[in-house]
Amino acid sequence: MRALTWQGRRDVRVETVLDPTIQAPTDAIIRVTASAICGSDLHLYEVLGPFLTPGDILGHEPMGIVEEVGADVSHIKPGDRVVIPFNISCGSCWMCSRGLFAQCETTQVKEQGKGAALFGYTSLYGSVPGGQAEYLRVPQAHFGPVKVPDGTPDEQFLFLSDVLPTAWQAVQFADVPEGGTLAVLGLGPIGQMATRIGRHRGAERVIGVDSVDARLQMAARHGVETLDMREVGDVAEALIERTGGRGPDAVVEAVGMEAHGSVRSSVAKVAQSAVGMLPGKVARTLADKIAIDRMDALLAALKGVRRGGTVSIVGVYGGEIDPMPMMEMFDRGIQLRMGQAHVKRWIDDILPLVSDPADPLGVLDLTTHQVPLAEAAHMYEVFQKKEDDCIKVVLKP
């Protein structure tokens, strides 16, 4: 089959690899019909290379048609159309029984000290071949796959794999009070959906913050109040000013480890790049012990949210020695929630909304680029550089 493989920093290629096969009775094989590029895939493209091996298959936002199932898989069958959650969970362990599917004890990558295994996301999360490919082996398929109806565009349901449950959890964790104000920092795919979900769930005001015209325009057409970072000297101060001197009740931080802005971020970028150029074992050791993130978005969230408010972190971080303004956080009584999305926990809430022909979350207005799998390498570059008004890429094998 053809699949997108990682070969080195900023070097991904579509190559011919072996077809996947059933390896356990809880496996399934799907023929992938659509697979999106996630913003967190760009971290693999840029800074997380020490945890990848040339030939690793990327991608964790797939859907497709079931081709084959293992002996213990009964809720899906060949011919069914399914979406595959990005985290691999058994559904029955202690963590899963409490809805903490991203911490599944059956698939936890204990040797790396990490949570549930993920598709296509480094040795830290199990080195499981990903879904930017023609076919995909799905472990724990007795629980994971989400069956969806036929006869609709893939994009109507595809984002159940990651974007929608991740954004839903971010807003859930933000705990915006009735009639409150939610700010969302970063208007990539997760941020876009977080703003729409915030409005859907009753936030009186939703403020979306970014510096890219296409992202600001997309948010605005869904009724979101926008703040262009290029027009303000300090994002936190601007948020406080817009909310009567108090700050929003909650902030969703949807940017993560590669935020841009300050001199501090520039220094962190140099450090990230330097580690990525070292030999693999050395780079992995440094990344595991002394990694540092670019913190601008998180610091803006912490300093911009109101006293007693909540910061919900959904942007991916990988640092070990990140400096935090602990005195200010403590004095202001800020609550923090964060973590990988527990995808299956939120499916029952979201599935009726994406099944609604009225499309209340605007899932059909998120994809900006739909291209063949053969063009994946080029689209990684376009997406990273924010060229051609690129917000969300869907690959069609």
Side-chain angles (χ1 to χ4, degrees):
M1 70 171 183
R2 300 291 282 173
L4 183 81
T5 63
W6 183 90
Q7 298 296 334
R9 185 167 178 257
R10 299 183 190 172
D11 182 4
V12 294
R13 307 173 199 169
V14 176
E15 298 187 325
T16 299
V17 301
L18 293 175
D19 290 352
T21 59
I22 296 288
Q23 298 179 19
T26 52
D27 285 353
I29 304 295
I30 71 162
R31 174 175 57 83
V32 178
T33 59
S35 188
I37 301 177
C38 179
S40 64
D41 287 330
L42 297 182
H43 302 322
L44 310 182
Y45 191 65
E46 187 69 29
V47 301
L48 291 180
F51 301 102
L52 289 158
T53 299
D56 283 353
I57 301 173
L58 305 185
H60 59 268
E61 297 187 7
M63 68 177 294
I65 306 300
V66 178
E67 293 281 306
E68 184 181 0
V69 297
D72 292 347
V73 178
S74 58
H75 83 293
I76 57 171
K77 63 184 186 303
D80 284 346
R81 188 185 191 203
V82 294
V83 176
I84 307 302
F86 76 90
N87 38 32
I88 302 169
S89 311
C90 74
S92 59
C93 68
W94 190 91
M95 288 289 182
C96 286
S97 67
R98 288 155 176 79
L100 301 174
F101 301 114
Q103 307 299 334
C104 173
E105 292 179 325
T106 300
T107 73
Q108 271 181 21
V109 188
K110 295 182 175 67
E111 62 272 21
Q112 299 284 356
K114 296 296 183 286
L118 311 178
F119 287 102
Y121 215 80
T122 79
S123 59
L124 294 173
Y125 290 98
S127 296
V128 181
Q132 290 168 5
E134 292 179 324
Y135 292 90
L136 174 69
R137 181 179 75 91
V138 182
Q140 305 298 323
H142 64 289
F143 175 71
V146 178
K147 189 174 177 180
V148 297
D150 296 325
T152 60
D154 282 341
E155 287 82 355
Q156 184 170 341
F157 294 101
L158 175 62
F159 304 125
L160 291 170
S161 60
D162 180 353
V163 174
L164 285 166
T166 296
W168 191 278
Q169 178 172 296
V171 175
Q172 177 77 21
F173 282 5
D175 195 24
V176 185
E178 184 176 350
T181 298
L182 171 68
V184 177
L185 305 188
L187 294 175
I190 302 297
Q192 294 287 343
M193 280 301 168
T195 62
R196 301 177 201 180
I197 291 166
R199 283 174 49 81
H200 173 78
R201 297 188 60 176
E204 185 171 305
R205 290 180 69 190
V206 177
I207 305 170
V209 182
D210 209 293
S211 60
V212 178
D213 288 334
R215 294 178 172 194
L216 293 164
Q217 292 162 8
M218 177 179 279
R221 67 175 176 259
H222 288 273
V224 175
E225 183 181 337
T226 60
L227 173 61
D228 188 338
M229 294 168 56
R230 297 167 297 187
E231 298 178 355
V232 299
D234 186 297
V235 170
E237 289 181 3
L239 288 173
I240 292 169
E241 183 178 334
R242 284 203 183 190
T243 50
R246 180 175 293 123
D249 298 288
V251 178
V252 169
E253 198 280 80
V255 179
M257 69 171 77
E258 293 188 76
H260 301 278
S262 68
V263 172
R264 183 187 314 197
S265 277
S266 298
V267 172
K269 181 178 181 180
V270 170
Q272 289 173 339
S273 298
V275 169
M277 294 176 182
L278 293 171
K281 186 175 181 180
V282 176
R284 285 192 294 274
T285 300
L286 290 174
D288 187 49
K289 302 298 183 185
I290 60 170
I292 188 166
D293 294 307
R294 295 181 237 166
M295 301 280 288
D296 289 75
L298 180 53
L299 292 174
L302 293 170
K303 292 176 180 293
V305 73
R306 68 160 168 81
R307 288 178 176 272
T310 301
V311 173
S312 175
I313 306 171
V314 68
V316 175
Y317 282 91
E320 289 285 343
I321 58 169
D322 295 330
M324 299 283 281
M326 292 304 299
M327 183 175 72
E328 186 169 2
M329 292 163 62
F330 181 84
D331 176 69
R332 300 180 69 229
I334 295 169
Q335 303 173 74
L336 291 178
R337 300 288 303 276
M338 67 190 84
Q340 301 278 11
H342 308 295
V343 174
K344 291 293 291 277
R345 180 173 178 172
W346 313 114
I347 293 297
D348 288 346
D349 295 309
I350 304 168
L351 190 56
L353 299 175
V354 297
S355 301
D356 185 343
D359 193 14
L361 298 181
V363 293
L364 296 178
D365 183 28
L366 184 65
T367 303
T368 55
H369 294 70
Q370 185 187 102
V371 302
L373 176 64
E375 298 179 23
H378 171 63
M379 292 313 304
Y380 263 74
E381 182 179 1
V382 170
F383 190 22
Q384 187 196 43
K385 294 180 178 178
K386 301 181 178 68
E387 296 175 341
D388 196 30
D389 293 341
C390 184
I391 296 175
K392 190 64 175 176
V393 180
V394 173
L395 305 173
K396 304 292 284 188

